[in-house]
């Protein structure tokens, strides 16, 4: 897993990505920071407890733990995201990358690296 944060942010909240940064699983942080940023409106946990919140379209449940690792214990390791099968089935059914990006299943609607012309991408 890879973790990213906003520039100049010093809190505990991080986006959680697959190793290849293809899929964003959600966010992880302490309950106190999630309350302070307005992600949580209310939580019946201590501010030091870690929480994982899944991104839209990711088949995971919110999870809490004493450490960041405990809060992420239900996520898969490595590059294989939980929703890889869903992404491939949606692509095979004709769903476009823009829709998959909108649903939070892809990190970008444009395949990387871009090596073709606009006409080639439009045909794919």
């Amino acid at each position: 897993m890879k973790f990213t944060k906003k520039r100049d942010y010093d809190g505990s909240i991080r986006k959680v990505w697959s190793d290849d940064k293809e899929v964003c699983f959600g966010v992880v942080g302490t309950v106190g920071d999630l309350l302070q940023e307005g992600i949580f409106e209310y939580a019946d946990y201590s501010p030091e407890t870690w929480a994982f919140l899944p991104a839209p379209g990711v088949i995971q449940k919110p999870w809490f733990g004493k450490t960041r690792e405990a809060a992420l214990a239900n996520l898969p390791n490595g590059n294989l995201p939980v929703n890889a099968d869903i992404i491939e089935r949606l692509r095979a059914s004709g769903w476009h990358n823009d829709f998959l990006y909108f649903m939070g299943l892809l990190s970008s609607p444009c395949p990387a690296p871009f090596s073709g012309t606009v006409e080639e991408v439009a045909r794919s």
Side-chain angles (χ1 to χ4, degrees):
M1 278 179 266
K2 293 189 184 269
F3 302 96
T4 61
K5 66 179 180 89
K6 290 192 279 183
R7 187 174 300 186
D8 299 329
Y9 174 73
D10 294 330
S12 66
I13 300 172
R14 302 287 188 270
K15 285 185 180 178
V16 182
W17 294 87
S18 60
D19 286 343
D20 58 4
K21 281 196 81 179
E22 181 71 19
V23 176
C24 180
F25 292 114
V27 296
V28 66
T30 62
V31 169
D33 284 345
L34 292 166
L35 284 167
Q36 183 177 358
E37 292 294 323
I39 297 172
F40 281 167
E41 291 182 15
Y42 170 80
D44 197 17
Y45 289 89
S46 72
E48 297 83 27
T49 302
W50 285 82
F52 167 73
L53 295 169
V58 174
I59 302 173
Q60 288 294 324
K61 294 179 182 178
W63 205 258
F64 295 86
K66 289 185 178 184
T67 63
R68 181 168 78 175
E69 291 74 23
L72 298 171
N74 288 338
L75 290 179
N77 294 325
N79 282 334
L80 183 61
V82 170
N83 55 1
D85 290 339
I86 293 172
I87 292 172
E88 292 309 314
R89 287 180 188 168
L90 289 171
R91 281 183 174 155
S93 299
W95 289 100
H96 193 270
N97 283 342
D98 287 336
F99 172 76
L100 299 175
Y101 169 73
F102 176 74
M103 293 301 296
L105 297 172
L106 291 179
S107 58
S108 170
C110 186
F114 180 72
S115 60
T117 65
V118 174
E119 291 175 7
E120 289 175 2
V121 173
R123 284 193 299 249
S124 63

